[in-house]
Amino acid sequence: MKLALQYWMPRYATKRRFVARERSYHGNTLGALSVSGFMERRRPFEGSLLDVSFVSAANAYRPLGGLSASELTAALADELDARIKALGSQHVAAFMFEPVVGARAVSCLPSRIREGDPPPL
């Protein structure tokens, strides 16, 4: 997160927001917890966390709305694109995601998301 902010600061000082996935886990520090999408872990620290916008989890085993794998990929990409546009791309510093998900169990992102081009920030 510091790297993203340091990268954008000299170019676009307004790029200070982050987007992350629900049900994501990035660590135990307040910064990492800010972009972690487990509300039960975040709740005790609300008020001390960064303002982060969340999009749906990329889980092929529990797909969004029961979509097929190919539909899920498109729906997740569209949701992310819409969220960045809603926030204003001039304000989004980074999209935080886990290519391999799970602190105890492993769940991989659908392959088309891993291989696809990231949306422009």
Side-chain angles (χ1 to χ4, degrees), residues 15-101:
K15 285 185 172 276
R16 305 189 61 76
R17 295 287 310 269
F18 293 90
V19 178
R21 292 221 178 269
E22 295 170 354
R23 308 294 298 164
S24 60
Y25 176 75
H26 297 286
N28 292 321
T29 66
L30 285 177
L33 190 57
S34 294
V35 292
S36 293
F38 281 93
M39 293 307 136
E40 50 280 349
R41 289 182 179 149
R42 294 171 50 94
R43 195 167 290 115
F45 303 99
E46 289 296 338
S48 299
L49 303 176
L50 298 172
D51 184 19
V52 174
S53 185
F54 290 91
V55 293
S56 298
N59 188 332
Y61 299 104
R62 293 186 188 118
L64 180 69
L67 299 172
S68 69
S70 61
E71 294 169 324
L72 176 62
T73 300
L76 292 170
D78 290 346
E79 180 186 12
L80 176 59
D81 186 53
R83 183 62 50 90
I84 291 170
K85 287 177 181 170
L87 294 170
S89 63
Q90 72 275 16
H91 299 295
V92 178
F95 169 54
M96 307 290 290
F97 72 98
E98 302 164 293
V100 176
V101 180

Side-chain angles (χ1 to χ4, degrees), residues 3-19:
L3 182 63
L5 293 173
Q6 287 173 334
Y7 175 81
W8 289 117
M9 189 55 66
R11 295 164 186 80
Y12 302 98
T14 62
K15 285 185 172 276
R16 305 189 61 76
R17 295 287 310 269
F18 293 90
V19 178

Side-chain angles (χ1 to χ4, degrees), residues 101-121:
V101 180
R104 290 186 217 159
V106 174
S107 173
C108 294
L109 291 174
S111 62
R112 290 185 55 206
I113 292 176
R114 291 191 311 266
E115 297 163 5
D117 293 327
L121 292 181

